[in-house]
Amino acid sequence: MQEWYLPITILPALGMLILSTTNQMMSLSNEINSLLREKCSDFQHLISSKKLKQLGLLTRAGALLYLASGIYVLSGILGAVLEIDAFYDVPSLLLYLGTIFLFLAFIILIIYAFRTVGIRKLQFENNHKL
């Protein structure tokens, strides 16, 4: 059995994750804009393509974070209204579902981070050939 307030207490942390992800999306979008403002070289086109895929990852992670937040709120509200004493009640199942979405978002953000380092290495190697 879960206490009704448990999912609600997670919301501030989720808000910070959403804010961070949104800031990364805006920064990445500005980078892509600056690359695509004029006609690109082949290398810039390659980097732009990789960064667009990165933006897609951040968008998916953000959507999962928003979805988890909504599900946590719903879980808390239903937990307070229904007051059921079962391990597999609707509020608990929603809490588990929200947690699954949260972990999927974490996995996507980890993939994003590793790919970002790969893109930076590629840019470094291209711009600083010995």
Side-chain angles (χ1 to χ4, degrees):
M1 179 186 99
Q2 75 160 12
E3 295 295 332
W4 69 268
Y5 54 83
L6 176 66
I8 305 298
T9 61
I10 298 170
L11 287 178
L14 269 173
M16 292 299 290
L17 285 169
I18 290 169
L19 180 64
S20 171
T21 303
T22 303
N23 285 339
Q24 288 177 340
M25 287 171 62
M26 295 304 295
S27 176
L28 185 58
S29 183
N30 287 337
E31 279 186 64
I32 294 168
N33 260 350
S34 70
L35 282 169
L36 298 179
R37 198 164 278 143
E38 297 175 11
K39 183 129 175 84
C40 296
S41 68
D42 288 340
F43 180 73
Q44 288 172 322
H45 184 75
L46 172 70
I47 294 299
S48 298
S49 173
K50 289 181 178 293
K51 287 183 183 266
L52 281 169
K53 289 178 185 174
Q54 290 289 85
L55 190 58
L57 283 175
L58 284 177
T59 302
R60 284 192 276 294
L64 286 169
L65 290 172
Y66 279 117
L67 194 54
S69 297
I71 289 173
Y72 282 156
V73 169
L74 184 60
S75 173
I77 291 170
L78 289 178
V81 171
L82 298 178
E83 295 182 15
I84 301 172
D85 267 353
F87 187 71
Y88 291 112
D89 58 2
V90 172
S92 294
L93 292 174
L94 285 172
L95 179 67
Y96 307 144
L97 181 63
T99 304
I100 289 169
F101 287 148
L102 182 60
F103 281 119
L104 288 173
F106 285 157
I107 290 168
I108 291 172
L109 288 171
I110 290 168
I111 291 168
Y112 165 81
F114 279 109
R115 287 186 181 172
T116 298
V117 171
I119 291 170
R120 291 291 182 207
K121 283 182 181 178
L122 189 60
Q123 286 177 306
F124 176 80
E125 290 167 0
N126 181 72
N127 294 340
H128 301 285
K129 295 177 185 172
L130 298 177

